[in-house]
Amino acid sequence: MVRKPTSKESARKPNMREAILAAAEELFATNGFNAVSVRDIAQAAGANPGSVTYHFKTKDGLLLEIYRRHCGPMNLRRSELLAAAKRVRDLQDRLEAIVRAYVVPAFTSGSDLAGGGARFTRLRAVMSAEGNEVARKIIAQTFDDTSHAFIDAIHESLPHIPRTDIVWRSHFLLGALYYSLVTPDRVSRLSRGEADGSDPANAIEQLVQATVAAFQAPALDQAAPTRRRQAVSNKT
Amino acid sequence: MVRKPTSKESARKPNMREAILAAAEELFATNGFNAVSVRDIAQAAGANPGSVTYHFKTKDGLLLEIYRRHCGPMNLRRSELLAAAKRVRDLQDRLEAIVRAYVVPAFTSGSDLAGGGARFTRLRAVMSAEGNEVARKIIAQTFDDTSHAFIDAIHESLPHIPRTDIVWRSHFLLGALYYSLVTPDRVSRLSRGEADGSDPANAIEQLVQATVAAFQAPALDQAAPTRRRQAVSNKT
DNA sequence: TGATCTTTTGTACGATAGTACAAATCACAT
DNA sequence: ATGTGATTTGTACTATCGTACAAAAGATCA
């Protein structure tokens, strides 16, 4: 890949800017936004703190650029995979394909950004937990369309389930997805070393399998109303 | 509840200490640990910043005390509910009761701490996402036993599923649980107002229903091996 | 080579962080 | 009423934060 100089617009040394972005992504995703200082990021990237200000103006601007960098490619890939999944004939297979189309891009690389998928998804999880304002705005703008597309697709392959239930279950899916990326070591620990929580392929298969079953659960209203809510009380 | 003065050990004005704890809990749970300053907490509690230092020594000490305050009651309640759930005869009902025993205390009050369950669980979710060291240590010490107890109980009512799969699925359960408490508004938004993500009863029912189905999914190894992983590729 | 623009560096500034500590205040036993 | 220990207040210290900005360095083209 030989990037020609183009005299204008582009940088002479794009490495530094990329290094800062990568370092910030990694640090934000593991420690949260406020726990990481601009100086931490600069040091991790082998840059001067002033460089961060030069390229991204503010710390928020840096976070914003990270989102801009990833949102497009990830949503594009999800759209492609979703389109392919919707062409699957068998309803059961189609549901699984749809879920996979949602999960896979979150775990794997979104484009040419090395290993960016999982790292960016983890970043989103942490920003979401921290209630980060910058992230919240972008998320609502960028991901809600995609989420609705997936919810609609799932609804089509499970017409007997109310849309509300599907929303809840896809919400659970995202939560499980996030959490798997946030604390993969917990899986290894609780399984006493038998499972590797850090293995993306493993996580994907487990998540898809469990989620498909969750989506196929009977709807809440019609769920065996004769025997519910016994043996465990709701309030003390 | 008339707390006698006991001359020694206890405080004359326990209100301030409690107010600080409550304010810290709320602020940490919504904004993360580092985004909240001791001064923020003091102000929200109507106290002086010095009072925080007096009662809890450091900011970490304050977080530690929050955990100490909740972990015991919540785990106790979970143990009680789990014991009751294990006495359920019907295997399907028992599984649901076990899941409910895990979920309910996380959403509702753990003891006499008003509305503490959901708030504390949300706090745990945020600390977990931020990789908070203080929280990580307590969690591993305090909750792993409980987690193992639940995993074992679930395994007993689903003997044909490998323990590894159960670990994964209970991990997903916790992730979904956390996420439901972190961004309940997302459910309301995606369901276009048809569902209320902030209603604990609603969330519990949806989560229990979906999770029970997820646990009952076929084991990964024997999951219809003739038709898997088509229509969607794993790598680009 | 020298002019010009981009990038990097070094440093500094005001704000705010966590925490320490002495003084003031409070509650209660005597 | 007064002394005593627990609590609260007020303030100050040092460290670090995000960011600004001028100077240095590097690159490009006449």
Side-chain angles (χ1 to χ4, degrees):
Chain A
M1 190 187 300
V2 207
R3 188 188 284 266
K4 65 179 176 184
T6 60
S7 83
K8 198 67 176 292
E9 129 189 323
S10 182
R12 274 139 225 249
K13 235 192 190 177
N15 308 330
M16 196 79 276
R17 199 183 128 99
E18 296 297 324
I20 292 172
L21 278 168
E25 216 174 285
E26 177 67 24
L27 287 173
F28 285 157
T30 37
N31 303 104
F33 185 75
N34 289 284
V36 177
S37 72
V38 173
R39 287 169 176 84
D40 290 338
I41 296 167
Q43 187 172 21
N48 189 283
S51 273
V52 179
T53 307
Y54 171 73
H55 284 291
F56 307 100
K57 202 64 190 170
T58 67
K59 198 183 172 189
D60 277 355
L62 174 54
L63 182 62
L64 201 77
E65 181 57 28
I66 292 174
Y67 271 82
R68 261 208 282 269
R69 179 62 63 100
H70 284 287
C71 283
M74 177 173 284
N75 272 332
L76 186 69
R77 192 153 138 73
R78 271 188 172 157
S79 296
E80 292 168 0
L81 294 181
L82 178 59
K86 281 163 116 175
R87 285 193 292 272
V88 174
R89 285 264 164 59
D90 181 84
L91 274 186
Q92 160 92 13
D93 285 349
R94 188 196 299 170
L95 176 60
E96 177 175 330
I98 292 170
V99 171
R100 206 175 286 273
Y102 188 79
V103 169
V104 166
F107 274 95
T108 63
S109 174
S111 63
D112 54 337
L113 310 163
R119 202 168 50 180
F120 176 59
T121 305
R122 177 167 178 174
L123 175 72
R124 282 167 52 208
V126 176
M127 294 303 114
S128 156
E130 286 187 319
N132 185 286
E133 267 309 307
V134 178
R136 198 201 305 272
K137 280 176 195 163
I138 306 184
I139 287 296
Q141 285 175 7
T142 316
F143 282 95
D144 274 14
D145 286 347
T146 310
S147 297
H148 274 125
F150 272 92
I151 288 167
D152 291 343
I154 292 168
H155 195 20
E156 274 172 35
S157 63
L158 291 169
H160 58 291
I161 307 285
R163 217 190 112 95
T164 303
D165 292 16
I166 299 198
V167 169
W168 272 107
R169 291 166 189 179
S170 67
H171 191 68
F172 299 150
L173 163 58
L174 187 54
L177 174 51
Y178 277 173
Y179 194 52
S180 300
L181 286 166
V182 166
T183 54
D185 51 292
R186 185 175 173 272
V187 173
S188 310
R189 209 171 66 234
L190 287 181
S191 73
R192 305 197 183 93
E194 277 179 43
D196 180 12
S198 309
D199 176 23
N202 208 345
I204 290 173
E205 291 313 311
Q206 290 281 358
L207 187 54
V208 168
Q209 182 79 4
T211 302
V212 166
F215 275 123
Q216 289 172 328
L220 258 202
D221 297 338
Q222 63 208 53
T226 55
R227 50 138 150 92
R228 299 268 318 293
R229 204 173 313 188
Q230 86 286 38
V232 167
S233 65
N234 243 350
K235 290 265 176 184
T236 311
Chain B
M1 192 187 298
V2 206
R3 185 188 286 265
K4 64 177 176 184
T6 60
S7 84
K8 197 70 177 291
E9 127 191 322
S10 184
R12 274 140 225 251
K13 236 192 190 177
N15 307 331
M16 196 78 276
R17 199 184 128 99
E18 296 299 322
I20 293 172
L21 278 169
E25 215 175 286
E26 178 66 25
L27 288 172
F28 285 158
T30 36
N31 303 105
F33 185 76
N34 289 283
V36 177
S37 72
V38 172
R39 288 169 176 81
D40 291 337
I41 297 167
Q43 187 172 21
N48 189 283
S51 272
V52 179
T53 307
Y54 172 72
H55 284 290
F56 308 101
K57 201 63 189 172
T58 67
K59 197 181 173 189
D60 276 356
L62 175 53
L63 182 63
L64 201 76
E65 182 57 27
I66 292 174
Y67 272 82
R68 261 208 283 267
R69 180 60 64 100
H70 281 102
C71 283
M74 177 173 283
N75 272 331
L76 186 68
R77 193 151 137 75
R78 272 186 171 160
S79 296
E80 291 167 2
L81 293 181
L82 178 60
K86 280 162 115 176
R87 285 194 291 271
V88 174
R89 284 264 162 59
D90 181 83
L91 273 185
Q92 160 92 11
D93 284 350
R94 188 196 299 171
L95 177 61
E96 178 176 329
I98 293 170
V99 171
R100 205 175 286 273
Y102 187 79
V103 169
V104 167
F107 273 94
T108 63
S109 175
S111 62
D112 53 338
L113 310 163
R119 201 169 51 181
F120 176 59
T121 305
R122 177 168 178 174
L123 175 71
R124 282 166 54 206
V126 176
M127 294 303 114
S128 154
E130 285 186 319
N132 185 286
E133 267 309 306
V134 177
R136 199 202 302 275
K137 280 176 195 163
I138 305 184
I139 287 295
Q141 284 175 7
T142 314
F143 282 95
D144 274 13
D145 286 348
T146 308
S147 297
H148 274 125
F150 272 90
I151 289 167
D152 290 343
I154 293 168
H155 195 21
E156 274 171 35
S157 63
L158 291 170
H160 57 289
I161 307 286
R163 219 191 110 95
T164 304
D165 292 17
I166 299 200
V167 169
W168 272 106
R169 290 165 191 181
S170 66
H171 190 68
F172 298 150
L173 163 59
L174 186 54
L177 174 52
Y178 277 173
Y179 195 52
S180 299
L181 287 167
V182 166
T183 55
D185 52 291
R186 185 174 173 272
V187 174
S188 310
R189 208 172 65 235
L190 287 181
S191 72
R192 304 195 183 94
E194 279 181 43
D196 179 11
S198 310
D199 177 24
N202 208 344
I204 289 174
E205 291 312 311
Q206 289 283 357
L207 187 54
V208 168
Q209 183 79 4
T211 301
V212 165
F215 274 123
Q216 289 171 328
L220 257 203
D221 298 335
Q222 64 209 52
T226 55
R227 48 139 148 94
R228 299 268 317 292
R229 204 174 314 189
Q230 86 287 34
V232 167
S233 65
N234 244 350
K235 289 266 177 185
T236 312

